[in-house]
Structure formats: structure tokens, C-alpha cells
Amino acid sequence: MTLSRSIIATAVGTLLLLGQTACSGGEDSTDDDGDGDRGPTSSTAGDQEPAQFRKVVAAGAPSACTTSPTAQPAPDSTTTACDLEGVAYQLGPAELVGGVDRAEAAEGPDGGWLITIDLDTEAAATFADLTTELSGTGQQVAIVSGGTIISAPTIQAPITDGRVQIAGPEISQVEALTLADALEAD
């Protein structure tokens, strides 16, 4: 089943809608003991290379993926990668590698989960340029972790302050934790 949903990215004073593709997987985890530790997830942030943000050149059909992830692609290369639902994407070189100061998952007010992302100063400037360029074009930015696309939102408006919030009623706890963990890998 292809996960297609609208997600909301919030920049200070700016609310924008993004179309998100597949973002799922991992084990359910909660903070049962109240120590702030989210528990086990499908990835261990310290073991991964930083997430990459890449322009999507072309997307295939669901179940069209014939490649399997072996490792995070070299940042300066073009590549083909798949999302967790089997959709293959042709991707340009990485526009941004890492630069995430903080990524947290939390339950949202609508019953879904949300991911709050704070970029460092340099990454915020790069991301502002990228989202300004792609705003309103219908182009997607793929977030690649471990050689797999974990999210590919369509940019509707620029995000210029380095504060991003991805939210939606369809985002599960597992999806939110997986994305937050992947983004915290650097």
C-alpha cells in the first residue's frame, strides 16, 4: 500500500503543506519509564551516516524498485534509490548532508504524530535556498538514510528559518520515530 499523505512543514510565521510519500518501518517504541528514551527503533542513529536531502529528478511507479540499498550513496553522485513501499526515484546529488541539530517525534494534537526538526545555521541557509528554488514547482526533496528514501515531500513554500515540522493525522508513532532517528544520525 502506498502511503501518500499531506504533511505540514512549519517555518516561523510560515505554514506550508507538503505531500509526503512512504515513511514507515521499525519497531513500536515508547517511553514507558519516563526517562526520555524512546526505546528501540529500527535504526541506531550513531551507526548511520547523516541523512541526505536530494532533489527528485523522476519517480517510478509503486513496486517498480529493482535496487536494494547497500549503503548511503556518495553525496556528489546521482543515484537511484527506493522508498519503503518499493517506488524507485532518480535523485540528483545531495543538496544537504546532515546539519540537523535536533529531530524529535511527538504525538500531535490531531491524533497523528509529528517530527520537529531544527537545522544548524549552515544547513538552514542551504535548506532555505533549496526550498525557495523548489517552492511551487511540484518538485520533491528526498530524505535518504541508509540508501533508502524515508520521505519525499513536495515543496509548496520556502522554509527559511531552519525550523521544520512534519505532521499529519496519518503519520504513525513508528513512522515519526524512524524519521526522527534517521535525521539525528549526524
Side-chain angles (χ1 to χ4, degrees):
M1 165 172 110
T2 299
L3 296 176
S4 177
R5 61 179 63 94
S6 293
I7 58 177
I8 301 172
T10 319
V12 172
T14 305
L15 176 66
L16 33 131
L17 299 175
L18 302 174
Q20 179 181 6
T21 59
C23 174
S24 63
E27 299 173 27
D28 194 4
S29 61
T30 59
D31 181 18
D32 293 330
D33 58 5
D35 67 357
D37 182 5
R38 292 181 292 205
T41 60
S42 62
S43 62
T44 305
D47 296 340
Q48 295 180 356
E49 293 183 44
Q52 299 176 354
F53 296 77
R54 294 170 171 262
K55 289 181 194 174
V56 173
V57 177
S63 301
C65 196
T66 59
T67 64
S68 59
T70 55
Q72 193 75 327
D76 59 349
S77 68
T78 59
T79 190
T80 298
C82 301
D83 67 12
L84 297 169
E85 300 300 321
V87 177
Y89 293 79
Q90 293 177 359
L91 306 175
E95 301 285 333
L96 178 61
V97 177
V100 175
D101 276 341
R102 182 181 66 87
E104 291 184 348
E107 192 168 4
D110 61 1
W113 281 74
L114 57 90
I115 303 93
T116 304
I117 304 162
D118 290 325
L119 300 173
D120 66 29
T121 304
E122 185 178 337
T126 301
F127 198 68
D129 291 344
L130 177 61
T131 58
T132 298
E133 175 188 343
L134 298 181
S135 175
T137 66
Q139 281 191 268
Q140 294 171 275
V141 172
I143 302 171
V144 181
S145 178
T148 300
I149 297 170
I150 56 173
S151 182
T154 300
I155 305 302
Q156 299 293 328
I159 301 172
T160 59
D161 69 350
R163 296 187 54 93
V164 180
Q165 187 178 74
I166 301 172
E170 305 89 2
I171 297 176
S172 72
Q173 179 184 18
V174 171
E175 292 168 335
L177 292 170
T178 299
L179 181 55
D181 284 348
L183 289 168
E184 286 251 327
D186 68 313

